[in-house]
Each structure stands twice: as structure tokens, then as C-alpha cells.
Amino acid sequence: EVQLVQSGPEVKKPGESLTISCKASGYRFTSYWIGWVRQVPGQGLEWMGVINPTDSDTRYSPSFQGQVTVSADRSFSSASLQWSSLKASDTAMYYCARLMYFYGSVDYWGQGTLVTVSS
Amino acid sequence: NFMLTQPHSVSESPGKTVTISCTRSSGYIASNYVHWYQQRPGSSPTTVIYEDNQRPSGVPDRFSGSIDSSSNSASLTISGLKTEDEADYYCQSYDNYYRVFGGGTKLTVL
């Protein structure tokens, strides 16, 4: 059974760093791109970036380029999303998602990680 | 870059049919696949249609997708509405490494 299990909720202060994770199981991790999607409370879905776990080829959406870092660790079948300096506007639910192929639909979603940034 | 525009909300009665549109602002809708996701309150999204009109296994055939080049739009149609269909629905497409979601449509089944 394919599963994407994300790390738990986080409460951080502005300026702090953070890494959240997405652990994949039930399939060959390097066979599918992984993406990250943001959802601000009460708002819609936004693509942040995608990564090929085989070679860590990463593509960011323009709005998120330079704001976050997406990475993957093949040995742990895990993808990560990292911030070096959080802002209050980063408060959101973050989903990892497995893509059928590079431009393909998502076929599996993680359960989401809620990040709250507040002083 | 382009945008995908969806109606903010639609409502219909159980048993009826509803269609949600998704209009592409620039570029041709038929040039790149459109995918549709359902998100119930408090849950992760799930895929209901991929590649314009394909249903994942487990999605009932009450859900269908189509493309209309004349209006440069995609549509998600749900027939035989059930209360469990009440959710937010998002279309999604792409172009030149750029992936876009529509703003989402809240479906109320009343």
C-alpha cells in the first residue's frame, strides 16, 4: 500500500528555521516525482515545487523560488521542505504529493503538516 | 504564465447533476492535461479526474471530465449528486514547468 506520512504539526516563531518531512512507503521511491503544496487556512491550493528523488532535480514555482528548499533522501525514502527564516505568512497546511509523472496528476497525498508561525 | 478560473461556489440538490467549469486564461486548454481534485473539510485532497477525463480506480462513474476548446475550458460533471459529494473541487494544469491550480469551487449539496 502506497503511503506518504508527514511529520507532525509545528509551532514556530518568526525568524526560526524549520524542516518538515514526508516519508514514502509501499513503492520504489525513486520512480515518482514528489511535490509540495501549500494551503493557507481558508484558501486554495498552491504548488510550491517538485523533486525527482532519483537525482534531486528540483523545480520551484516562481512564488516560492528562494523562499523554501525542497530535498529528498533516497536512503530514507523521504522528502523534505525547509525554511531558513519563517514568516507569519508561512502559516499554512503543507501537503506532500506523489506525481504520476513529471506533469502528471497527483495520485497519492500525504495527510498534511500544519505549520503555525506566531510571535 | 496562465490562470485557471473556477466559479467560487455552486449548489444543487441530491440526485441532480452539476458541472464545474475551469477556464484557462492563456494558452490552449487542450494542449496540457487537466486534473481535478476533491477536498472534503479537514481532509487531504484526492484525485477524482486525471488527464482530462480519466477516473482513478475507486472513483464512481458519476464523476466525469471534459475539455471544450471553443471556450478554452475544462469541466467536471457530477451526476446523481450525493450529500457526500459536498466538498471543494480544484482543477489543475501546467505549462513550461509551471503548475497551476484553479481557485477552487465549493460544491454544496442541499
Side-chain angles (χ1 to χ4, degrees), chain B residues 23-69:
Chain B
T23 302
R24 181 164 173 151
S25 62
S26 62
Y28 296 110
I29 192 74
S31 295
N32 306 105
Y33 286 130
V34 176
H35 316 302
W36 290 90
Y37 306 101
Q38 175 194 68
Q39 187 179 32
R40 295 189 174 108
S43 296
S44 300
T46 62
T47 305
V48 291
I49 293 289
Y50 67 97
E51 294 178 359
D52 296 342
N53 55 18
Q54 301 299 302
R55 266 181 293 106
S57 60
V59 174
D61 60 5
R62 301 185 296 106
F63 289 80
S64 63
S66 63
I67 298 292
D68 181 357
S69 296

Side-chain angles (χ1 to χ4, degrees), chain A residues 3-87:
Chain A
Q3 286 192 308
L4 298 175
V5 179
Q6 298 184 230
S7 49
E10 302 275 0
V11 178
K12 292 288 191 179
K13 291 181 165 42
E16 291 186 333
S17 62
L18 174 65
T19 299
I20 62 175
S21 65
C22 171
K23 168 77 171 167
S25 62
Y27 72 98
R28 186 190 299 259
F29 182 60
T30 51
S31 295
Y32 296 85
W33 288 73
I34 292 282
W36 287 93
V37 174
R38 183 175 81 172
Q39 187 169 38
V40 173
Q43 297 189 22
L45 305 174
E46 301 172 89
W47 274 110
M48 301 178 71
V50 298
I51 187 166
N52 181 343
T54 298
D55 58 7
S56 291
D57 180 12
T58 307
R59 312 295 174 91
Y60 294 96
S61 294
S63 299
F64 295 96
Q65 180 79 48
Q67 307 304 307
V68 296
T69 301
V70 173
S71 60
D73 187 330
R74 289 179 296 172
S75 58
F76 290 102
S77 296
S78 182
S80 297
L81 181 63
Q82 180 182 2
W83 293 262
S84 59
S85 181
L86 286 160
K87 310 179 189 68

